[in-house]
Amino acid sequence: MIAYLSGTLAEREGDSVVVLTDGGVGYLVAVPVAVLERLPAKGGRVALFTELVVREDGWSLYGFDRPADRLIFQRLLGASGFGPKLALAVLGTLGPERTVRSIRERDVAALATVPGIGRKKAERLILELRDRFDDVPVERGPPQGTGAEQAVRALTGLGYGPAAADEAVRTAIADGAEGDTATVVRRALQVLAASRTGR
């Protein structure tokens, strides 16, 4: 079992990276989109918590920058009909915190926003896993207040992913955006625009 990798980020290939260890071995590791965005530039040092998935058609390595994210990935794989690509899609679309909250709170609508998951699959996922996330740490709750919740819904309605919408609304409120939903949405849109131009 390969549980942890550290070394130099040698290549980026789509949603995967190649980690070159100090021993000279390069490992191809698939990572969620959010993790990919947080990794350093090519040539930088990287450390990943990994999960090796062995299937009939080959072995694949999946990497995460936090052990809790790997644990969520492992639990998602425990659901019937859930392979690693779909588990990565859930983490990439919702983010780890919202994934756990959606399953705990039986939020079918949030899970159904993930490509490849319809309402029926979301309902089955909740049914199978709702009691298996009680011990999984969730670092942050959703933005508090009716206006914040409405702002998140408005941003997802505009096409932003739930994880990005949550983060933008949280940042907007932390920056002092208060009042009606429209004010929070406007500030959150500025946050999202700034994050895109800053990449």
Side-chain angles (χ1 to χ4, degrees), residues 37-168:
E37 292 174 349
R38 291 194 295 266
L39 291 179
K42 183 177 174 180
R45 295 290 296 180
V46 63
L48 295 172
F49 299 91
T50 57
E51 177 72 9
L52 179 64
V53 176
V54 180
R55 307 180 76 173
E56 291 182 6
D57 56 350
W59 295 17
S60 300
L61 198 58
Y62 298 87
F64 310 89
D65 54 358
R66 300 185 304 179
D69 295 14
R70 179 179 61 185
L71 178 59
I72 295 167
F73 178 77
Q74 291 168 337
R75 299 286 169 86
L76 289 172
L77 292 180
S80 59
F82 247 72
K85 288 186 178 179
L86 197 51
L88 276 189
V90 172
L91 286 169
T93 302
L94 299 178
E97 291 85 9
R98 184 151 186 181
T99 295
V100 173
R101 291 200 310 271
S102 297
I103 293 171
R104 285 178 180 169
E105 299 167 10
R106 304 181 187 187
D107 190 346
V108 174
L111 290 167
T113 63
V114 179
I117 298 183
R119 288 192 66 85
K120 287 186 177 179
K121 186 167 277 192
E123 289 168 355
R124 190 170 73 240
L125 179 67
I126 291 169
L127 182 64
E128 291 186 28
L129 299 182
R130 64 188 176 195
D131 298 326
R132 297 193 59 199
F133 281 88
D134 292 341
D135 62 334
V136 177
V138 178
E139 293 187 354
R140 293 178 294 185
Q144 297 297 309
T146 303
E149 293 166 6
Q150 290 175 349
V152 170
R153 283 198 292 272
L155 291 172
T156 55
L158 291 172
Y160 292 97
D166 268 3
E167 183 67 28

